[in-house]
């Protein structure tokens, strides 16, 4: 009985050892190679290319040849395995070392939103499960976007926008560029610094486009929409830009009567009343008054600066013109300017210089003196 039990035990042990021996070979073989990448689960948008850096690790004491394939890849997805700049299907790894391979997976443009699983397989040695989540519904389409579609400036501003045109189709496209602008506006498209009316964009790539919009003269304050479109015969995209006009800036320098002439005696001075009018639709601040005069002339203003002039308002300034003492009789030009940061106005005054009345009276007295002397001589010596 004991001998029978011992024989049975021996047979059982032999069976267990045999099973373990048979099972040990694939277990050890499966552990001889490890596939590793840190990014096993990622999220992408349709049309993106995913780049995995995969490490093939040889855990054994012998050279391992790993035949690499990608299995379970969804329909219309494509992949490429490379290492050292070469496409490959198999790679050898020395004992206790590793090799790097690059796996590129191209997600198609037309794809449903969701999660997709596939594996990188080293045939008979190891498997690397990968998960890709497509975050949005894919389609063949074109996108036209601007990070800053709203700009603000005054009526004489030039508005500059940056747009990105993305071709999410499978083919290269030639897009015509148009803008449905309000009457009087001038819109120019520029690519790489050159003005264009169309642009080529390769499949699944983008192109940066600069848009320059100039408003017409006399435009009123307000917000103006600028619809922009990029289109081909097969696909199109549009976006809306906005230009906010804060107001127009204009100033006019004149006189209450509009007369731009006066007179002054040499060495004398003359006060002129000037009018400074804000003819724009926005307030003006810190308006300075300046003058360009003939040599040795002087012009002073009171006040010298206007702190604020509201739109549509007019204020008066006194200009004092002082002529050179040696100025000869004739006409001279004095230019006066009212200047703010946003606008300026110049007026040219004709100033007639007259000789001093003192010299006139001196001339009269000299003439009278000469006549008196002649009369005296005639009375005294005329009878002799």
């Amino acid at each position: 009985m004991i001998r029978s039990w011992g024989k049975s035990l021996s047979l059982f042990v032999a069976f267990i050892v045999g099973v373990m021996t048979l099972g040990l070979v694939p277990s050890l073989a499966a552990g001889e190679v490890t596939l590793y990448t840190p990014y096993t689960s990622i999220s992408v948008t349709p049309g993106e290319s995913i780049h995995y850096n995969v490490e093939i690790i040889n855990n054994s004491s012998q050279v391992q040849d790993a035949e690499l394939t990608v299995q379970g890849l969804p329909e219309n997805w494509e992949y490429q395995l490379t290492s050292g700049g070469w496409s490959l299907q198999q790679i050898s790894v020395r004992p206790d070392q590793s090799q790097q391979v690059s796996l590129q997976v191209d997600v198609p443009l037309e794809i449903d939103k969701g999660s997709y699983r596939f594996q990188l397989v080293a045939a008979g040695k190891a498997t690397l499960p990968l998960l890709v989540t497509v975050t949005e519904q894919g389609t063949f389409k074109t996108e036209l976007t601007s990070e800053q579609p709203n700009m603000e400036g005054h009526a004489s501003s030039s508005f500059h926008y940056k747009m990105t045109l993305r071709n999410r189709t499978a083919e290269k496209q030639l897009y015509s560029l148009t803008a449905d602008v309000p009457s009087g506006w001038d819109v120019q498209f520029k690519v790489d610094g050159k003005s264009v009316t169309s642009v080529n964009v390769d499949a699944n790539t983008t192109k940066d486009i600069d848009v320059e919009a100039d408003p017409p003269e006399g435009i009123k304050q307000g917000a103006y929409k600028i619809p922009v479109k990029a289109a081909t015969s097969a696909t199109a995209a549009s976006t809306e830009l906005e230009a906010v006009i804060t107001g127009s800036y204009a100033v006019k320098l004149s006189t209450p009567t509009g007369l731009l002439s006066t007179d002054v005696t040499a060495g004398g001075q003359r006060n002129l009343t000037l009018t400074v009018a804000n003819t724009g639709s926005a307030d003006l601040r810190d308006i300075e008054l300046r003058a360009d005069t003939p040599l040795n002339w002087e012009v002073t203003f009171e006040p010298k600066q206007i702190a604020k002039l509201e739109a549509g308002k007019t204020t008066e300034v006194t200009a004092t013109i002082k002529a050179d003492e040696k100025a000869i009789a004739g006409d001279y030009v004095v230019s006066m300017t009212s200047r703010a940061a946003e606008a300026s106005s110049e007026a040219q005054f004709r100033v007639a210089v007259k000789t001093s009345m003192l010299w006139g009276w001196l001339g009269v007295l000299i003439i009278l003196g000469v006549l008196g002397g002649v009369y005296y001589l005639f009375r005294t010596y005329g009878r002799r």
Side-chain angles (χ1 to χ4, degrees):
M1 180 71 178
I2 295 175
R3 182 179 297 177
S4 177
W5 180 83
K7 185 177 180 181
S8 298
L9 179 61
S10 298
L11 291 172
F12 178 76
V13 171
F15 174 77
I16 294 300
V17 171
V19 170
M20 291 181 63
T21 302
L22 292 173
L24 183 60
V25 174
S27 297
L28 290 175
E32 289 173 348
V33 173
T34 301
L35 304 180
Y36 172 77
T37 184
Y39 309 112
T40 57
S41 177
I42 61 175
S43 297
V44 297
T45 57
E48 285 197 48
S49 292
I50 309 167
H51 297 272
Y52 296 97
N53 290 319
V54 181
E55 190 173 3
I56 317 295
I57 305 170
N58 183 356
N59 303 310
S60 72
S61 58
Q62 297 180 349
V63 173
Q64 294 289 333
D65 293 325
E67 183 181 346
L68 301 174
T69 58
V70 176
Q71 298 179 5
L73 202 64
E75 186 179 359
N76 297 326
W77 291 44
E78 296 181 355
Y79 78 92
Q80 185 178 19
L81 281 164
T82 58
S83 182
W86 300 91
S87 296
L88 58 85
Q89 292 79 38
Q90 182 173 306
I91 191 167
S92 291
V93 187
R94 289 186 293 181
D96 298 321
Q97 293 194 19
S98 65
Q99 288 285 351
Q100 295 283 339
V101 299
S102 176
L103 170 61
Q104 177 179 317
V105 177
D106 297 325
V107 181
L109 289 164
E110 193 167 16
I111 189 172
D112 292 330
K113 179 180 178 180
S115 296
Y116 298 83
R117 299 180 183 273
F118 54 94
Q119 306 85 34
L120 174 63
V121 178
K125 299 181 184 296
T127 299
L128 177 62
L130 298 170
L131 173 64
V132 173
T133 300
V134 179
T135 58
E136 60 185 61
Q137 187 71 20
T139 181
F140 288 105
K141 66 179 181 179
T142 295
E143 295 177 352
L144 185 62
T145 58
S146 175
E147 292 185 0
Q148 183 59 53
N150 178 282
M151 295 286 180
E152 183 178 287
H154 53 79
S156 58
S157 296
S158 184
F159 297 86
H160 297 270
Y161 307 87
K162 289 187 177 295
M163 300 193 309
T164 300
L165 176 61
R166 183 174 183 180
N167 176 8
R168 298 187 67 175
T169 73
E171 298 178 352
K172 182 178 181 179
Q173 301 285 350
L174 175 61
Y175 293 93
S176 65
L177 304 173
T178 58
D180 186 14
V181 294
S183 177
W185 283 73
D186 180 41
V187 175
Q188 299 288 328
F189 298 98
K190 293 184 178 181
V191 176
D192 299 328
K194 297 180 180 179
S195 295
V196 298
T197 57
S198 62
V199 61
N200 275 303
V201 186
D202 291 331
N204 200 32
T205 62
T206 63
K207 184 73 73 172
D208 292 331
I209 302 173
D210 295 323
V211 182
E212 182 177 318
D214 296 313
E217 292 185 7
I219 189 170
K220 295 182 179 180
Q221 183 175 349
Y224 295 83
K225 305 294 184 181
I226 306 174
V228 178
K229 186 176 183 179
T232 71
S233 58
T235 180
S238 61
T239 189
E240 189 174 71
L241 307 176
E242 184 181 56
V244 178
I245 304 296
T246 57
S248 60
Y249 295 96
V251 63
K252 184 178 181 181
L253 178 64
S254 187
T255 63
T257 61
L259 185 64
L260 301 180
S261 62
T262 188
D263 57 71
V264 66
T265 58
Q269 65 182 35
R270 171 75 68 183
N271 290 336
L272 282 179
T273 300
L274 308 178
T275 57
V276 181
N278 182 350
T279 56
S281 60
D283 295 347
L284 291 172
R285 299 180 183 275
D286 300 326
I287 304 173
E288 294 184 354
L289 292 136
R290 301 176 183 176
D292 185 12
T293 66
L295 186 63
N296 296 326
W297 286 50
E298 292 182 6
V299 175
T300 57
F301 298 96
E302 182 57 41
K304 294 181 179 180
Q305 186 179 75
I306 302 170
K308 179 181 178 181
L309 186 58
E310 296 179 357
K313 299 293 185 179
T314 301
T315 189
E316 292 187 348
V317 175
T318 300
T320 301
I321 304 174
K322 184 177 181 181
D324 181 15
E325 292 182 355
K326 298 179 181 180
I328 60 176
D331 290 341
Y332 295 79
V333 174
V334 176
S335 296
M336 301 186 193
T337 304
S338 59
R339 183 182 300 277
E342 303 84 0
S344 64
S345 176
E346 181 182 14
Q348 292 189 340
F349 290 83
R350 184 179 64 83
V351 182
V353 173
K354 298 180 179 180
T355 55
S356 173
M357 293 297 293
L358 175 62
W359 292 106
W361 284 111
L362 287 176
V364 171
L365 291 176
I366 290 172
I367 292 172
L368 291 176
V370 170
L371 292 176
V374 171
Y375 179 76
Y376 173 76
L377 291 175
F378 181 78
R379 289 292 302 268
T380 303
Y381 301 103
R383 295 181 182 180
R384 295 183 182 181

